[in-house]
Amino acid sequence: QVQLVESGGGLVQAGGSLRLSCAASGHGLSTYAFGWFRQAPGKEREFVAGINWSGSSTYYTDSVKGRFTISRDNAKNTIYLRIDSLKAEDTAVYYCAAESFGTGDRDSNYNYWGQGTQVTVSS
């Protein structure tokens, strides 16, 4: 029902910034919660940020608080992840995910996933 396409990844220097985008298509997207996840080589996928259906509530894992900002533009059906003060440990494939009527927190049962976009941070 929902397709997600991430973009905005690339190679950046430590301390720099990136803005990742997730273009969503489907029906009733305004009722969906969205999240960003990442997976580094040899590690399990982890939740990094989420946002509820209205955009009024956001959630972040402790390691990214103060550096990552999730937002959504319902008019454009796009979800963003702003990453500031990039660190080498932020290197990973970043995935966008969605859940109808979800909360956007790490415990949401996200059931739609994008293909991912690679973020590589050089130190």
Side-chain angles (χ1 to χ4, degrees):
Q1 295 180 2
V2 175
Q3 289 190 308
L4 307 170
V5 181
E6 302 95 334
S7 63
L11 174 64
V12 297
Q13 296 285 339
S17 298
L18 279 177
R19 188 181 73 166
L20 307 183
S21 297
C22 173
S25 61
H27 179 69
L29 293 175
S30 63
T31 69
Y32 280 75
F34 292 91
W36 284 96
F37 294 74
R38 67 185 181 187
Q39 186 168 22
K43 297 183 179 180
E44 295 184 352
R45 184 177 61 196
E46 66 170 341
F47 171 88
V48 294
I51 189 166
N52 72 344
W53 67 271
S54 69
S56 62
S57 297
T58 58
Y59 307 87
Y60 301 94
T61 194
D62 287 343
S63 64
V64 308
K65 288 181 179 178
R67 298 190 301 115
F68 286 33
T69 304
I70 188 171
S71 61
R72 63 189 294 172
D73 186 337
N74 286 351
K76 297 181 179 179
N77 293 328
T78 302
I79 303 87
Y80 303 98
L81 183 68
R82 174 76 179 186
I83 309 175
D84 295 314
S85 301
L86 279 157
K87 303 176 180 179
E89 51 263 42
D90 294 322
T91 295
V93 177
Y94 284 73
Y95 298 91
C96 180
E99 180 190 16
S100 182
F101 298 102
T103 62
D105 62 23
R106 67 177 69 245
D107 295 320
S108 291
N109 295 318
Y110 297 100
N111 52 358
Y112 297 97
W113 298 85
Q115 296 296 312
T117 184
Q118 176 72 51
V119 173
T120 303
V121 183
S122 61
S123 59

